[in-house]
Amino acid sequence: MHPNDPIRRVLVIDLSKRTFEVMDRPELFQASIGGAGTAIRLLEERCPPGADPLGPENPIILAVGPLVGLYPLASKTVAMFKSPHTGNLGESHAGGRSAVSIRMAGYGAVVITGRSPGPTYLVIEDGRVAFRDASALWGVRSSATAGSVLREREGGSGHRSILRIGPAGEAEVSYACVITETYRHFGRLGLGAVFGSKRLKGIVIAGTRTLPVADPVAYRREYDALFRAATTSPAMRKYHDLGTPMNVLPLNESGALPTRNLRATRFEAAEAISGEAMASRFLGRRLACSHCPVACIHLAALRTPHPKEPYFYKTSMLGYDYELIYALGSLLGIADPEGILRLADEVEIQGLDAMSAGVVLAWATEAYERGLVAKDDLDGIPLAWGDAEAYASAVRRIVRRPTDLYRALAQGVDYASSVYGGREFALAFGGNEMPGYHTGPACHLGFLTGSRHSHLDSAGYSVDQKVPPEGVGLTGDEIVAALIAEEQWRQVLSSLVVCFFARGLYTPDAVTRALAPLGIAATPADFDRIGAETLRRKWAFKRREGFDPTRLRIPERVCETETPLGRVDSDVIRRALERFAALSS
Amino acid sequence: MAKRLYVIDVDRCVGCQSCMFACARRAGAGGTAGSRIGVRSAGGMRKGFIVVVCRACAEPPCARVCPTDALAPREGGGVRLHPELCVGCGNCRDACPFGAVVWDAVEAKPLVCVYCGVCAAYCPYDVLAFDEVGRNVDASE
């Protein structure tokens, strides 16, 4: 790496003592590239075995990689922590302005430990950390208000990013998210609750550092090749046009769109909530993360009349993407896109993970239908498929927790179903709620075995979708091998750190070429080794914290409801998990 | 003829800042530090973006307030910086109502557009154009 590249600097902040130090750790970044590879090593160093995820001993690690700030689509920050939602490895990625801001503030990683004596927010600049009083911000109704206040109150010269939590994070709902730049999220696995447990309302991070390269001529050449590919490739173009909601109709058509808690896989209103319909009725603006010419962020302009006063309207700009339409749409049987957007608004105000929130509400609806929970448990507001208004009230109650049921729902569907029953239709994998794909056995094996239990770990849906019509699918062992290979390569991408949407551009050879002008010599064989090592360390952390793939719960609903590849055979899954256990230990 | 940058369609700006990275990359470095073009949110990203470029004024106020003629008018509009004459007073920065004179706090010197047009070449959505001074006025103002 270039000797003056600030990526080797790790900022360690202790909220309990209100102190910070900058550590020079070149060896860490040499061994692991950056991002996820660095974060898992810092987690090993900082997170004691058996740590309470909501205790001061649980560190928050934010890491970026050498490509960030230097190449297009290298736009993500990796957050790592012990998850309060699963009690195991927590990893979540977000874009916005966060990654470039951390990089330009002069850090490769930021570690936050301890617990603040009172509500606080941090202002991080090059060589300086301010601990600001956030007691007046604690308890504000909306995550958006906190964002606006920090934006106006804090200058922060240079490239700036603002991370914050909403009421859900303050209340330590185990799937609370952290919001950055209003429309991007460290969504999954409860980083927001970890912020809340530390009395950390937000982080402003800003920097003005120049990022040096070893060979400027070669740097500009490699930059241009990647930039051209990013702006001319049809694969990138579709993310800009309709964005990820382009997937609604094809998934529905193939019978893979989870609907009404996965009792069905085709939604009769799919057309109305499709990417095409959302764009034609609501698309108000498209946005990009820093340094991403693709601009996949889609905002809907929603005009809502005042409930009482005529001629009063509120116009909101609300982000939407495929996962949100699935979790707060088809999974809840909401056919009206305005209903989906209003529910999404409430989820955003509270600062919850949209996917987990949707799955929790879907489980609660079915549990109520089946009489496992009563109207009183629901605080007098019954839930019914398609009733967006009731769901929005329920979202507020998940945070406020007026009843024992809501206290359980605030800990996710795995926990709630362990108390009230209905395990067979509680859609969670390794404790994390299901993403929006029911494409076949590989997607579910991916959710079960992925280190984050996320569709992004190993893209199992893509393995399913490659099976030709009338063709023979892969065996369980073959699926496991494909998933591990993909997850291993994604460790490299998330160490650089580039957006997974750019995986087609950043092939191993392209990454070698991009790193060379920065003074980093690495071959595709090195990436194989580094990716495998990073994944091995994640598995080791998970085992240390009690993860056992052979004891994973497979929700019966997943095996009952037909996929485009037929029914998923639980015995096949079980044997594949044994295979995974052998390979990952 | 002298050329300048035009913001021809700010509504298409997605805030990717590729222009800022391009400007910084001219000096062979990454990041956006030292960029002479600025993209910032218009008060939260939901409201879109403000793109700040040097308009290459015919009678540039930034040059008028320079006590040492370090910023001198360029023939055809705009300014040229002679850094060896600059005393770092910051008058130029304060004189530009658009904030197009960027301040380099380390060197205590202004960073002004050199009218090279590289940023416009990296705008994926045709927000920017690089054209002769006096052209395109209808589209940009």
Side-chain angles (χ1 to χ4, degrees):
Chain A
M1 92 183 67
H2 190 285
N4 294 329
D5 191 323
I7 194 146
R8 51 200 276 168
R9 299 165 81 233
V10 176
L11 173 66
V12 181
I13 299 170
D14 185 331
L15 288 169
S16 303
K17 297 185 192 142
R18 295 186 175 245
T19 57
F20 68 95
E21 63 177 317
V22 179
M23 306 178 84
D24 188 31
R25 299 289 305 272
E27 83 296 346
L28 193 56
F29 289 85
Q30 270 152 9
S32 65
I33 306 178
T38 295
I40 185 64
R41 284 165 167 84
L42 287 167
L43 192 70
E44 289 163 4
E45 291 176 15
R46 298 276 171 175
C47 183
D52 174 0
L54 298 176
E57 67 270 31
N58 188 19
I60 295 166
I61 292 149
L62 304 172
V64 297
L67 296 193
V68 170
L70 284 156
Y71 285 102
L73 286 121
S75 52
K76 296 268 187 172
T77 303
V78 171
M80 227 177 262
F81 49 98
K82 186 171 174 184
S83 166
H85 195 50
T86 62
N88 211 305
L89 179 66
E91 179 184 347
S92 187
H93 304 172
R97 304 248 178 277
S98 60
V100 175
S101 299
I102 291 171
R103 189 89 164 89
M104 285 181 60
Y107 303 110
V110 179
V111 179
I112 302 168
T113 65
R115 170 185 276 154
S116 173
T120 191
Y121 69 90
L122 295 171
V123 181
I124 299 175
E125 289 170 302
D126 190 353
R128 195 176 80 94
V129 176
F131 300 79
R132 298 261 205 263
D133 177 19
S135 47
L137 277 174
W138 205 257
V140 296
R141 193 180 67 85
S142 167
S143 64
T145 309
S148 320
V149 170
L150 295 187
R151 187 170 62 241
E152 297 200 355
R153 190 170 164 78
E154 291 301 331
S157 62
H159 213 279
R160 187 174 76 156
S161 177
I162 300 175
L163 281 59
R164 67 272 193 174
I165 59 170
E170 293 179 14
E172 299 173 17
V173 174
S174 68
Y175 47 98
C177 72
V178 172
I179 301 160
T180 171
E181 280 70 68
T182 315
Y183 297 110
R184 296 290 90 189
H185 306 85
F186 293 96
R188 309 226 70 191
L189 296 170
L191 182 61
V194 181
F195 267 52
S197 74
K198 295 188 177 312
R199 311 283 179 265
L200 180 59
K201 182 69 185 175
I203 303 174
V204 180
I205 184 155
T208 56
R209 280 251 185 164
T210 294
L211 306 174
V213 301
D215 181 346
V217 174
Y219 165 53
R220 282 192 286 257
R221 184 185 64 231
E222 296 308 326
Y223 186 99
D224 286 349
L226 286 161
F227 189 85
R228 210 167 26 247
T231 47
T232 55
S233 122
M236 293 283 99
R237 180 84 211 173
K238 63 184 186 180
Y239 286 120
H240 180 61
D241 287 347
L242 293 179
T244 56
M246 67 189 161
N247 288 324
V248 173
L249 288 179
L251 284 168
N252 185 62
E253 208 157 298
S254 65
L257 178 68
T259 300
R260 294 189 182 85
N261 205 33
L262 196 59
R263 290 204 293 215
T265 53
R266 286 194 176 87
F267 187 36
E268 66 282 2
E271 198 78 48
I273 65 169
S274 66
E276 289 81 352
M278 296 294 283
S280 76
R281 286 191 61 193
F282 300 104
L283 182 58
R285 189 177 289 288
R286 283 175 292 182
L287 300 177
C289 296
S290 272
H291 219 171
C292 175
V294 174
C296 77
I297 306 166
H298 285 58
L299 304 188
L302 180 66
R303 183 169 176 254
T304 314
H306 191 276
K308 290 178 191 137
E309 283 290 317
Y311 302 111
F312 267 105
Y313 292 91
K314 172 176 103 165
T315 303
S316 319
M317 296 294 273
L318 304 166
Y320 66 89
D321 57 23
Y322 169 69
E323 296 296 342
L324 182 134
I325 292 173
Y326 139 73
L328 304 179
S330 64
L331 197 72
L332 299 175
I334 301 179
D336 167 19
E338 293 197 18
I340 297 175
L341 290 170
R342 269 195 280 276
L343 177 56
D345 195 17
E346 194 59 54
V347 168
E348 190 67 31
I349 286 168
Q350 302 298 334
L352 287 167
D353 173 31
M355 272 191 258
S356 287
V359 173
V360 162
L361 294 173
W363 174 85
T365 308
E366 186 161 344
Y368 177 61
E369 269 188 358
R370 289 168 181 260
L372 296 176
V373 302
K375 195 172 161 185
D376 282 353
D377 296 322
L378 290 167
D379 198 29
I381 298 185
L383 298 177
W385 305 116
D387 187 348
E389 207 174 313
Y391 286 130
S393 314
V395 165
R396 288 187 286 275
R397 282 168 174 76
I398 286 171
V399 176
R400 201 154 49 77
R401 291 168 293 185
T403 64
D404 284 342
L405 175 64
Y406 275 110
R407 274 185 281 283
L409 293 177
Q411 295 175 67
V413 81
D414 220 18
Y415 178 77
S417 64
S418 75
V419 177
Y420 290 87
R423 298 287 274 170
E424 63 281 12
F425 55 86
L427 300 174
F429 300 85
N432 197 23
E433 283 75 11
M434 178 181 163
Y437 305 88
H438 189 56
T439 50
C443 79
H444 293 292
L445 269 170
F447 305 152
L448 286 160
T449 61
S451 47
R452 299 181 279 164
H453 305 286
S454 151
H455 61 300
L456 293 168
D457 285 322
S458 49
Y461 56 90
S462 162
V463 175
D464 288 327
Q465 287 167 337
K466 282 184 188 131
V467 177
E470 317 297 327
V472 181
L474 301 180
T475 66
D477 285 4
E478 287 168 337
I479 292 172
V480 167
L483 294 174
I484 290 178
E486 182 64 24
E487 188 163 8
Q488 190 174 306
W489 170 241
R490 290 187 178 212
Q491 303 313 306
V492 177
L493 294 175
S494 60
S495 296
L496 290 164
V497 179
V498 302
C499 177
F500 288 163
F501 288 174
R503 62 190 180 273
L505 308 180
Y506 284 95
T507 60
D509 286 331
V511 174
T512 295
R513 287 196 301 274
L515 286 171
L518 313 188
I520 301 172
T523 64
D526 294 327
F527 301 142
D528 284 346
R529 183 177 47 75
I530 292 169
E533 172 68 10
T534 299
L535 192 52
R536 192 192 62 71
R537 285 172 183 263
K538 287 190 189 177
W539 287 337
F541 183 92
K542 291 190 73 163
R543 271 199 314 277
R544 188 192 88 178
E545 297 298 324
F547 179 67
D548 178 353
T550 64
R551 298 184 57 193
L552 281 167
R553 185 175 72 80
I554 304 166
E556 281 86 342
R557 174 65 47 80
V558 162
C559 300
E560 288 159 9
T561 301
E562 193 102 1
T563 77
L565 300 178
R567 287 204 179 178
V568 174
D569 182 340
S570 63
D571 290 338
V572 170
I573 300 282
R574 202 48 80 196
R575 280 197 300 275
L577 286 173
E578 274 160 25
R579 172 79 178 162
F580 174 79
L583 291 172
S584 63
S585 61
Chain B
M1 275 293 278
K3 289 194 164 187
R4 60 161 282 205
L5 275 175
Y6 291 91
V7 181
I8 54 170
D9 194 353
V10 75
D11 293 326
R12 290 188 68 189
C13 181
V14 295
C16 70
Q17 302 171 317
S18 294
C19 53
M20 296 175 69
F21 288 98
C23 188
R25 206 163 51 250
R26 287 172 57 253
T32 58
S35 170
R36 274 93 163 146
I37 183 170
V39 176
R40 61 169 196 269
S41 81
M45 291 196 193
R46 68 183 178 281
K47 294 180 184 162
F49 297 93
I50 294 167
V51 182
V52 178
V53 300
C54 173
R55 298 178 66 251
C57 302
E59 293 181 39
C62 55
R64 215 183 303 145
V65 297
C66 178
T68 61
D69 292 334
L71 264 188
R74 176 182 68 148
E75 196 176 334
V79 287
R80 288 222 186 280
L81 176 69
H82 303 284
E84 69 283 3
L85 299 177
C86 176
V87 293
C89 68
N91 287 356
C92 53
R93 172 196 53 201
D94 301 337
C96 178
F98 297 97
V101 177
V102 179
W103 198 249
D104 179 343
V106 178
E107 300 290 325
K109 290 204 186 331
L111 296 166
V112 294
C113 181
V114 297
Y115 316 106
C116 70
V118 163
C119 54
Y122 286 90
C123 177
Y125 300 107
D126 298 329
V127 174
L128 299 169
F130 184 59
D131 207 341
E132 287 176 7
V133 175
R135 291 264 182 94
N136 253 332
V137 170
D138 288 346
S140 67
E141 285 157 307

